Amino acid sequence: MSTRPAPSAPLQNDPESPIMTVHTASPAAPTSSPTAAVLGAHPQATTDADARKAAATDRSGYIPSTLPDGVVVARGVDDVVEALRLAQAHGVPVVPRGAGTGLAAGASAHEGEIVLDVSRMNRILAIDPVEMTAIVEPGVINAEVNAAAAQHGLFYAPDPASTAICSIGGNIATNAGGMWCAKYGVTRESVLGLVIVLADGRILRTGRKTIKGVTGYDLNALFIGSEGTLGVVVEATLRLRPKPVRTETLAAYFADIEAAGRAASAITAARIQPSILELMDGPTLEAVDLAEGTKHRELGGAFLLAQTDGYGAHLELDEIVQAISPYATSIHRAADAVEAEALVKARRDAIPALERLGRVSIGDIAVPRNRLAEAFTGLEDIAAQRGVRIFSVAHAADGNLHPMLVVDPHESITEGPAKAALGDMFHLAQRLGGTLTGEHGVGLLKREWVGEEIGETSRSLQQAIKGVIDPAGILNPGKAI
Amino acid sequence: MSTRPAPSAPLQNDPESPIMTVHTASPAAPTSSPTAAVLGAHPQATTDADARKAAATDRSGYIPSTLPDGVVVARGVDDVVEALRLAQAHGVPVVPRGAGTGLAAGASAHEGEIVLDVSRMNRILAIDPVEMTAIVEPGVINAEVNAAAAQHGLFYAPDPASTAICSIGGNIATNAGGMWCAKYGVTRESVLGLVIVLADGRILRTGRKTIKGVTGYDLNALFIGSEGTLGVVVEATLRLRPKPVRTETLAAYFADIEAAGRAASAITAARIQPSILELMDGPTLEAVDLAEGTKHRELGGAFLLAQTDGYGAHLELDEIVQAISPYATSIHRAADAVEAEALVKARRDAIPALERLGRVSIGDIAVPRNRLAEAFTGLEDIAAQRGVRIFSVAHAADGNLHPMLVVDPHESITEGPAKAALGDMFHLAQRLGGTLTGEHGVGLLKREWVGEEIGETSRSLQQAIKGVIDPAGILNPGKAI
């Protein structure tokens, strides 16, 4: 349940980061165009080249070939309304942007588009400790919500690995998951209500303040996960939960990832509901060790992190030990919160560790839980066939794998072997009865496979819904559906 | 976790039930009309007067003044497709119907409409004990899913009080809740995917087989709770959960409902998460005693049922005892499963007991949890002012109250004092920051207040969405939005 403070500067502004090297043929902003009309009229707009570069992409590894024409840095709801009204009047595409930590290029922006940055709308407006809710602006960092909730014995369950740097607005846009989701649900299950600015500047309120409510259609769920294509979230009412009275944690090591996968299945078969169940393969352990000076790889070729919580957490962890013992080479039960946090940290360190090795493209397939072992084998086959490096971690309790492709910092992930491998991963997931994306979203990177997954009837309905909510099509065009 | 078998005959066919006395001026089915064209062409259609009477309303207490023109009793997906194609071609309104246990007149049907009855599509198609899912047809009774799941150490969490007689299709149509929802979520959180027949006969698949997945918009959630106005569910993939290893139950009695409400708030304040937390007021206890020969009312003027589950259920129940002791006049901790079931049964008996007293109209307001006591006081005021009898039960852990209006069997609930009291309840909920309906749906009975709750922007968007999914407007017109 621990949280880390947000870094002092947002990572997307880090000049050292290879993903910020945006290649562009036209760094100057246009002076006479629909976008210029919008940017000229909005008090919070900038056409500064650095601002445009910083707002051009996310942490997906995708590098746009052009820059957006400008950025509106919203300080409040009125700025968002004004930006969308102007954009609609001039027919200008708008890319909503939060902390820029997305992994599917959903917040990538190009020439002819403007970025609407809500990261400065970052206040926690209210915490109601009796009702167990928080009302927040979209730019609030996920970990900050948890830090504020912790003061009241509460927590906010959806915790992406990027908790220290990702913002609630982006979590809502992607229906983000995290490590606690198998037990506590994803973002959708923790967002009671939203205030949204529609493409035409109207304010829409979805959901409610109460835990339950079924008046009318579930627009709340429709907007959650819509990746900025239906509206811009300017406020959210979040559901907080009682912080578990007791938490127990273990890490287990295995000869290989298949053995670890069998151990995860044994936990499910024993009808245990861990609050965290995470797998990492040997290559990922090596990368973590290299970055952090730890020695995980010496202990095994795969790593399983398990946490239980509640009044009987210790008894439930006993059951996990019993279920996995036939498969594990060693099991390390945390003696206290400090040891537990060190084990959890190993998992949170995976992505930053891999980012040191090169440009990372993080896959996000989900498969039925009982097909995890097949998925790992399939990923090894893809790596061998395409000649790419794939590192794998997985939220084992809900069948969500993150195969991470690591390429040279100047190599592309949208063409060549990396792109082919991404397509292979989707077809692997599909063959196993799974899905293209468990929690990161479709963005720009996975859009070509969406139709194949959801089918023509669903896609045409989704496009029709987009058509009535954003008839001018200005919101994040080319993303998600 | 216990379940009761479904009764041998569906209640809506019970000739003894007062709610089945449908007054109608035109019992004969029309022979030349758009509905006659549909009914004449469909192999599973009937215009039998008894069938039309049985399909005319639900358990809301609403009595339609006319009968539907006929009923299509679907035996499979093809029958549903054929019914909707014919209806669309002839512009005939279709009222989808399951077990007929709805409480908002969402399945009520009138002259000029036909009923599409899916209650005979009642097979459990598959249970996957490893993946913890069930694939079912819409007519399967809720308790039957639980009985089948229990054989694999699993359970299906959404458990309406009507579990023994309500069907999964109706649960999905209303996004039904129940006693376990505060801990395990409502129907939406337990439905992974749907197969739906759209108004034009096309087959739509929503959701997926995996626990997580965010490809495209969340059409699954959009259809859940849409009360038959967007499509007809013909198959559902349900999420099952590990049956708790241990369950502990208590009942506590209090001098009055306000004291019981304060006890419920004390549980929340102590950061305990019970799996069941139910309140009943004194008049309801009297009705249960009268129907069942029990003696609850002698023990107090209000009743609180609490259940905890999990490895530490006994420890968590200890905490509940401590939290409520200052308020309770007596606390009865169940010694075993038989005693626990007797306590839970008292709550499940409430609605059947009240139905013996007269025609029952069950309110369904939800308020922020910390305003429960104010809600009870407000309901007492409404009863006094309108001169009606209101019996109250509540899902205390999620702030969902069921104030039950009981009127004379031949009195109307859609006009006079009962209707006025229903409006008062809505305004009470609104004043307390709550909602018109927590889990029963809007149906016909509450539609006039929907606009006031959700506002014009939301309502117009919802109607636009209805317009693109069912452009001819044939699906359950006049309901929900």
Side-chain angles (χ1 to χ4, degrees):
Chain A
M1 302 292 137
S2 85
T3 55
R4 288 190 277 167
S8 55
L11 286 202
Q12 71 271 26
N13 291 333
D14 178 4
E16 300 295 305
S17 169
I19 70 164
M20 285 307 121
T21 315
V22 174
H23 306 293
T24 166
S26 58
T31 53
S32 164
S33 69
T35 52
V38 173
L39 296 164
H42 200 291
Q44 300 297 341
T46 175
T47 55
D48 175 74
D50 286 345
R52 291 160 57 213
K53 275 185 197 167
T57 191
D58 57 13
R59 290 175 73 83
S60 64
Y62 168 73
I63 303 179
S65 57
T66 58
L67 288 184
D69 291 354
V71 183
V72 171
V73 182
R75 309 279 166 167
V77 177
D78 291 349
D79 288 338
V80 175
V81 169
E82 180 70 4
L84 290 172
R85 282 200 183 135
L86 285 165
Q88 169 123 328
H90 294 280
V92 167
V94 175
V95 178
R97 182 180 183 84
T101 61
L103 295 167
S108 61
H110 306 81
E111 193 176 342
E113 298 174 340
I114 64 167
V115 172
L116 177 53
D117 178 349
V118 297
S119 64
R120 310 294 169 91
M121 293 173 66
N122 58 3
R123 289 175 303 162
I124 295 177
L125 301 174
I127 299 239
D128 183 336
V130 180
E131 197 50 28
M132 302 196 283
T133 55
I135 301 178
V136 303
E137 291 186 324
V140 173
I141 298 298
N142 180 293
E144 289 173 1
V145 175
N146 257 316
Q151 295 177 25
H152 304 283
L154 299 169
F155 79 110
Y156 176 65
D159 68 323
S162 55
T163 175
I165 53 171
C166 65
S167 60
I168 295 294
N171 293 171
I172 292 168
T174 55
N175 192 16
M179 296 206 286
W180 294 323
C181 293
K183 182 160 184 178
Y184 294 105
V186 292
T187 297
R188 191 190 65 177
E189 277 80 67
S190 286
V191 174
L192 297 176
L194 296 172
V195 181
I196 291 159
V197 182
L198 297 173
D200 60 8
R202 278 183 303 163
I203 304 281
L204 172 72
R205 287 174 183 275
T206 67
R208 50 196 60 78
K209 293 178 198 164
T210 53
I211 298 299
K212 272 157 117 178
V214 294
T215 307
Y217 299 151
D218 191 351
L219 294 188
N220 206 46
L222 184 65
F223 279 85
I224 295 169
S226 65
E227 303 192 39
T229 64
L230 297 179
V232 179
V233 171
V234 290
E235 186 185 299
T237 300
L238 308 179
R239 177 181 187 173
L240 306 176
R241 293 167 200 268
K243 200 165 172 171
V245 65
R246 183 171 187 160
T247 302
E248 298 282 332
T249 309
L250 67 75
Y253 296 83
F254 303 83
D256 53 41
I257 193 73
E258 283 74 20
R262 280 194 294 277
S265 295
I267 293 171
T268 306
R271 302 296 179 233
I272 302 163
Q273 177 65 75
S275 51
I276 292 179
L277 194 64
E278 298 286 317
L279 277 173
M280 286 202 284
D281 69 0
T284 309
L285 289 177
E286 273 167 35
V288 170
D289 285 345
L290 188 66
E292 302 289 329
T294 48
K295 310 261 184 205
H296 295 289
R297 185 65 184 89
E298 287 177 11
L299 293 167
F303 170 96
L304 181 72
L305 172 72
Q307 193 170 83
T308 56
D309 66 22
Y311 286 82
H314 51 304
L315 303 171
E316 199 159 10
L317 204 73
D318 290 346
E319 296 292 320
I320 291 182
V321 169
Q322 198 173 321
I324 66 177
S325 286
Y327 309 98
T329 51
S330 64
I331 297 175
H332 305 254
R333 197 163 170 160
D336 55 33
V338 174
E339 279 188 34
E341 183 50 30
L343 298 178
V344 173
K345 185 173 182 297
R347 169 61 182 86
R348 290 212 192 274
D349 286 339
I351 294 173
L354 292 172
E355 283 177 343
R356 293 184 172 210
L357 300 184
R359 183 180 304 280
V360 179
S361 174
I362 306 182
D364 179 41
I365 57 175
V367 300
R369 285 169 286 204
N370 55 348
R371 313 206 66 175
L372 264 180
E374 285 167 89
F376 282 116
T377 310
L379 289 169
E380 286 167 2
D381 293 346
I382 292 170
Q385 281 161 21
R386 298 293 181 181
V388 294
R389 287 196 292 171
I390 298 180
F391 301 75
S392 289
V393 303
H395 305 303
D398 47 25
N400 186 195
L401 293 98
H402 294 311
M404 293 181 276
L405 272 167
V406 179
V407 301
D408 183 85
H410 298 289
E411 243 179 280
S412 169
I413 59 159
T414 51
E415 50 195 36
K419 168 74 184 301
L422 198 61
D424 291 347
M425 285 180 203
F426 164 58
H427 289 108
L428 170 66
Q430 199 183 37
R431 200 162 63 239
L432 298 175
T435 178
L436 184 56
T437 172
E439 58 182 15
H440 294 170
V442 169
L444 203 64
L445 292 188
K446 304 167 199 163
R447 212 171 67 116
E448 70 180 277
W449 299 290
V450 168
E452 206 175 328
E453 177 171 328
I454 67 179
E456 185 45 37
T457 302
S458 182
R459 193 170 205 177
S460 67
L461 262 193
Q462 296 191 30
Q463 285 168 341
I465 289 169
K466 162 81 173 171
V468 297
I469 300 181
D470 174 21
I474 62 164
L475 278 166
N476 219 5
K479 313 288 170 55
I481 60 162
Chain B
M1 304 290 136
S2 85
T3 56
R4 289 191 276 167
S8 56
L11 287 203
Q12 71 271 26
N13 291 332
D14 179 2
E16 300 295 306
S17 170
I19 70 165
M20 285 307 122
T21 314
V22 175
H23 305 293
T24 165
S26 58
T31 52
S32 164
S33 69
T35 51
V38 173
L39 295 163
H42 199 292
Q44 300 298 340
T46 175
T47 55
D48 175 75
D50 286 344
R52 291 159 59 213
K53 276 185 195 166
T57 190
D58 57 13
R59 289 176 74 83
S60 63
Y62 168 74
I63 303 179
S65 57
T66 59
L67 289 183
D69 291 354
V71 183
V72 171
V73 182
R75 309 281 167 165
V77 177
D78 291 349
D79 288 338
V80 175
V81 169
E82 181 69 4
L84 290 172
R85 281 201 184 134
L86 286 164
Q88 169 122 331
H90 294 280
V92 168
V94 175
V95 178
R97 182 180 184 84
T101 60
L103 296 168
S108 62
H110 306 81
E111 193 176 341
E113 298 174 339
I114 64 167
V115 171
L116 177 52
D117 178 348
V118 298
S119 64
R120 309 295 170 90
M121 293 173 66
N122 58 3
R123 290 175 302 163
I124 295 176
L125 300 174
I127 299 241
D128 183 337
V130 180
E131 197 51 25
M132 302 197 284
T133 55
I135 301 177
V136 304
E137 290 186 324
V140 174
I141 299 298
N142 180 293
E144 289 173 3
V145 176
N146 257 316
Q151 295 177 24
H152 303 284
L154 299 169
F155 79 109
Y156 176 64
D159 68 324
S162 55
T163 174
I165 53 171
C166 65
S167 61
I168 295 294
N171 294 171
I172 292 168
T174 55
N175 192 16
M179 297 207 285
W180 294 324
C181 293
K183 182 159 183 178
Y184 294 106
V186 292
T187 297
R188 191 190 66 177
E189 277 80 67
S190 285
V191 174
L192 296 176
L194 296 172
V195 181
I196 291 159
V197 182
L198 297 172
D200 59 8
R202 279 182 302 163
I203 305 281
L204 172 71
R205 288 173 182 274
T206 67
R208 49 195 61 77
K209 292 179 198 164
T210 53
I211 299 298
K212 271 157 119 178
V214 294
T215 306
Y217 299 151
D218 191 350
L219 294 188
N220 206 47
L222 183 65
F223 279 85
I224 295 170
S226 65
E227 303 191 40
T229 64
L230 297 179
V232 178
V233 172
V234 291
E235 187 185 299
T237 300
L238 308 179
R239 178 181 186 173
L240 306 175
R241 293 168 200 269
K243 201 166 173 170
V245 65
R246 183 170 187 163
T247 303
E248 298 282 332
T249 309
L250 67 75
Y253 296 82
F254 302 83
D256 52 41
I257 193 74
E258 284 75 18
R262 281 194 294 275
S265 295
I267 293 170
T268 306
R271 303 294 180 235
I272 301 163
Q273 177 65 75
S275 51
I276 292 180
L277 193 64
E278 297 287 317
L279 277 173
M280 285 202 285
D281 68 2
T284 309
L285 289 177
E286 273 167 35
V288 170
D289 285 346
L290 188 67
E292 302 290 328
T294 47
K295 309 263 183 204
H296 295 289
R297 185 66 183 85
E298 288 177 12
L299 293 167
F303 170 95
L304 182 71
L305 172 72
Q307 192 169 84
T308 56
D309 67 22
Y311 285 82
H314 51 305
L315 304 171
E316 198 159 10
L317 204 72
D318 290 345
E319 296 293 320
I320 290 183
V321 169
Q322 196 174 321
I324 66 176
S325 286
Y327 308 97
T329 52
S330 64
I331 298 175
H332 304 254
R333 196 163 170 160
D336 54 34
V338 174
E339 279 187 35
E341 183 49 29
L343 298 178
V344 173
K345 185 174 181 297
R347 169 60 182 88
R348 290 212 192 273
D349 286 338
I351 293 173
L354 292 172
E355 282 177 344
R356 293 185 172 209
L357 301 183
R359 185 180 302 281
V360 179
S361 174
I362 306 182
D364 179 41
I365 57 175
V367 299
R369 284 170 285 205
N370 54 348
R371 313 207 64 177
L372 264 180
E374 285 167 87
F376 281 116
T377 310
L379 289 169
E380 285 168 2
D381 293 347
I382 292 170
Q385 281 161 20
R386 298 292 180 182
V388 294
R389 287 195 293 171
I390 299 180
F391 301 75
S392 288
V393 303
H395 305 302
D398 47 25
N400 186 193
L401 293 98
H402 294 311
M404 293 180 276
L405 272 165
V406 179
V407 301
D408 182 86
H410 297 291
E411 244 178 281
S412 170
I413 58 159
T414 52
E415 49 195 36
K419 168 74 183 300
L422 198 62
D424 291 346
M425 285 180 202
F426 164 58
H427 289 108
L428 170 65
Q430 200 183 37
R431 199 162 62 240
L432 298 176
T435 178
L436 184 57
T437 172
E439 58 182 14
H440 294 170
V442 169
L444 205 62
L445 293 188
K446 304 169 200 162
R447 213 172 66 116
E448 71 180 277
W449 300 290
V450 168
E452 206 175 328
E453 177 171 327
I454 66 178
E456 184 45 37
T457 302
S458 181
R459 193 170 204 176
S460 67
L461 261 193
Q462 296 190 30
Q463 285 169 341
I465 289 169
K466 162 80 173 173
V468 298
I469 299 181
D470 174 21
I474 62 164
L475 278 166
N476 219 6
K479 314 287 170 55
I481 61 160

